[in-house]
Amino acid sequence: MTTYRSFIGGKWIDSTSGRTVPNVNPANRNDIIGTAQLCTRDEARSAVEAAYNAFKGWKNTPAPVRGRIVAKMARLMGEHKEELAQILTREEGKTIAESRGEVQRATNVVEFCAGESRRLTGETIPSELPANFAYTIKEPHGVVALITPWNFPVAIPAWKLAPALVAGNTVVFKPASNTPGTAVRLTELFIEAGIPEGVLNLVLGSGSEAGDEIVNHPAVRAISFTGSTETGLRLYEQIARRGIPFQAEMGGKNPVVVLEDCDMDLAVEHTAQGAFGSTGQRCTATSRAVVMDTIADKFVEKIVARAKSFTLGDGSDAANEIGPSVDESQFNTVLKYIDIGREDGATLLCGGKKAAGDGLENGYFVEPTVFDHVTPDMRIAREEIFGPVLSVLRVKDFDEAMTVANDCEYGLSSSVFSNDANDIYRFIDEIESGMTHVNSPTTGGEAHIPFGGIKSTGIGAREQGSTSLDFYTELKVVYVDYTGRKREGNLY
Ligand code: NAP
């Protein structure tokens, strides 16, 4: 059994807290993968101090040299793809195909950011004064805290670590408590890639203690968070008092809008993949299907058949298509929402309970679940469930579809199924989400394309792609006067 430790100031440390949490395989509770030592507040503080002490040296390291280390990290991730995918499946539960996809996406992002190290350019701006010019420089903030969730424990740390480091920041990385294995392995690979002492610090510990200590430490100059809206907004309040930059990607309640002229089989398949793939534990998962009344019976019949056709089981067996909920708490949350759906009067068409069968008894498996006749006021239409549960909302026309799709506090992703160009472009104009898809699932994204949401989903600069370094850099504006004379006239 592995012991997971924190990495602070270039050393793996044994925590003095004496507190540990087991890393449990959610497909089989009897498989205890390892034990994570939880940091004390003092140890979390020492991680910030180590990052603070390393900042000057890292900032003064030329960006392309920093980029070379990040490029080596991308190569190492490629070489260790299968190993990372196996760790990911065992501790988080997603299927091995999904894990391989996540590791590949993470590797692509790291590779992309390494290239950005040669493009940390500013602007030169002609002055309105003779013999003067102005230019801008991109500079790192200093120590940045990166707080990440369990559902993409390779990709999300990667898409924060790579741009933060390329930009010249030093990092305190606090992963979710239930995915320490992937966090430790990523850190080990960064060490192998040559990251200098103190530049990257990994803190294993609870959010309420170690996390709280990190985000409130005055030496932390920017915080990038991905997780629930509840935690993110709480952190935003605390951080606002200190006036430092905050970036947050939070919950989702992503709709598909299924119009009359769609390719029905395509709409059903992509809705099912979006709703039940990764056990519904993607921030971009499809959780609402807004369907035209005239085609709703057909849609519902087909989506139920598809939901029942998935094979559930341990994700390490490539034959299984859907893994478990990540832990007991998430499993209970999903079952609780299924009860709420029933109590609120939605029609349960399939699923709705713990999955039974060979190999499922010791895991947190929930049957893919479809509710019909869900109305916009019901909690299962409004709140993030984060499990394999789809709510079907029937509407009479396009206008009602848009009203229903937008009647939600979140705004991460969405998609439309239609073959009518006018309706598709109206949808793109009117949908309130940071990302939208046409005739494809609400899920997915590419390393070189910005990612993120609006409304209660996203705060601050977008992650990934052309915007990936925006959050991690400050702009310094420089005015150069080469007249050698006292300036005449008005100065503004
Ligand atoms: P969470 O409970 O909010 O936790 C996220 C991270 O915050 C964890 O590392 C957690 O540590 C830490 N944390 C909790 N309280 C803290 C505090 N007071 N100070 C500092 N850190 C604190 O979210 P989760 O359950 O891990 O992740 C699922 C959520 O993430 C879903 O809502 C999902 O939609 C969202 N998500 C959004 C995106 C996106 O791009 N929009 C992507 C992926 C996931 P502990 O684990 O120790 O509690």
Side-chain angles (χ1 to χ4, degrees), residues 336-360:
K336 180 193 83 181
Y337 270 107
I338 290 169
D339 285 344
I340 290 170
R342 277 200 197 94
E343 284 158 19
D344 283 354
T347 311
L348 179 67
L349 295 180
C350 66
K353 56 183 189 305
K354 179 181 185 334
D358 267 0
L360 302 182

Side-chain angles (χ1 to χ4, degrees), residues 405-424:
N406 287 332
D407 183 13
C408 174
E409 68 164 310
Y410 300 108
L412 183 56
S413 188
S414 57
S415 67
V416 64
F417 291 94
S418 171
N419 286 310
D420 181 317
N422 295 340
D423 282 344
I424 290 171

